[in-house]
Amino acid sequence: MDSPRSGVAILCGVLLFALCATTAVVWPVSARAGAPDVAGLQVALRIRGTYAGAIDGIFGPETRVAVRRFQRREGLVVDGDPGPRTRAALGPFARHSLGSRPLHRGTFGWDVGAFQYLLTRCGFSVGAIDGYFGPRTRTMVVRYQHRAALSVDGVAGQATIAGLKRGLGCWEIKGRVPRGVTVSGIGIGGLSARWAGIALRSAFAQPLRLRARGRDWLADPDAFARVGVASALKRAVHAHAGEAFRLRVFVETGRIRPYAARIDERVCGPAVSARLVGLRSLQPKISRARSGCRVRRALFIRALVHGLARLERPVIHVPIERVLPTVTRANFGPVVVIRRNAHRLYLYEGVKLVRAMPVATGRRSAPTPLGRFSIVVRARHPWWYPPASAWANGADPIPPGPGNPLGTRWMGLSAPGVGIHGTPDAASVGYSRSHGCVRMYLRQAEWLFRRVRIGTPVIIVPA
């Protein structure tokens, strides 16, 4: 069960803001502004990485600390006053005061963040207040213009901005909340409906805190859910003293799924299998495999939905599972190394030598090619077909049998017309007698055939 004490800090900030508002001061006198400009400041500070609180338009202690942190980082006078120099140092998102230009799709800046705050306060949720006029913000502008009976063009011009500042078309609940009333643990008793609404929106707008593999992220809850502040206020002002009820949160799971996919890409990576790098000292050199990971998206989405439904913001640990590589040094499989000049074939399992066997390689006029290849064809009792070479002119195909030049097994390589095979001419093994292929004793070719597969790497070196 949520505790009413969890809302004390938020209410303190709200009351502090209320006291400041009586003198029309939101931050120090040298930088007067209304609450929308505070929201613009908060957006700019969040983009620069010094503010992690809610975009609520309240210049409270957390916002002041963020200003001081930014000033210290930029080498400015650390006074907590977001004056002209501080605002200039904030960069592009701190430009353009609200009302200094019309806002349309694609624009960004301080004024867009302030405008988004006004829209949200009026009951038109733009999702994340991020200072960018995107398609969702434009949709809310059109809806507001319809309700306020303004010219509907999806552009926030002077009339639209002025209407929002005056509360034109905004549904505002009047009255005061009875003492002791709590909403999802936030104590709003004794507040006017207006300030109670600010307190609830501020509580919900606190970012979700995500943690994975020693790294932290902030996620804006407004990007994934809408909150029923208006209905909660209506119920609160008519509640009995001490009554407690929950704030309704409408989660948009269609927005959470792609976000979970982005977090997966950001946090995790695929497993990396071991691969054959080449030879070292004429032996296979195989890279190390690396494990990967993936976010357990169903559990992560469930945790986000649960976190959005609460006004408390504990750290959400992103559930991750380890992904093992499919190929490691231990299970790498066969590797064939052929030393052409030594007329030897070596079969390895990974880096472990299994057997060395004599072979015949190509003669000087038709040498066995050097390089890295792979086995692409395996055939039992193959036919021999004459190649397009002068030495085979007029020859006929030879069916499987004792006189077949390929013996009983054929292992074709990715080098055209070249393969490893048995031979009925046992006397040629150990010499350079073939037309480019690698000949083996019949029994040894059959033994090798059983241990290699399609894709087995074959490296031929001159040694």
Side-chain angles (χ1 to χ4, degrees), residues 444-462:
Q444 292 182 354
E446 293 172 356
W447 180 90
L448 180 66
F449 186 89
R450 293 193 297 270
R451 287 161 176 80
V452 297
R453 52 181 180 252
I454 300 296
T456 294
V458 178
I459 300 178
I460 305 175
V461 295

Side-chain angles (χ1 to χ4, degrees), residues 273-279 283-287 332 334-337 350-351 372-373 456-459:
S273 293
R275 62 185 183 87
L276 180 63
V277 177
L279 297 181
Q283 296 180 351
K285 180 181 179 181
I286 297 174
S287 66
F332 189 84
V335 178
V336 175
V337 177
V351 296
R372 179 171 172 174
F373 311 99
T456 294
V458 178
I459 300 178

Side-chain angles (χ1 to χ4, degrees), residues 51-115:
Y51 181 68
I55 308 300
D56 55 11
I58 300 173
F59 194 83
E62 191 173 4
T63 305
R64 186 182 296 275
V65 167
V67 172
R68 294 173 65 86
R69 187 181 298 123
F70 175 75
Q71 290 171 332
R72 188 177 297 109
R73 192 177 73 184
E74 296 297 317
L76 302 171
V77 176
V78 182
D79 57 5
D81 179 354
R85 290 188 177 181
T86 299
R87 182 162 169 174
L90 283 167
F93 269 86
R95 297 173 188 161
H96 309 293
S97 297
L98 182 61
S100 63
R101 59 173 180 166
L103 305 178
H104 52 81
R105 185 169 177 175
T107 54
F108 65 90
W110 177 294
D111 51 352
V112 177
F115 178 73

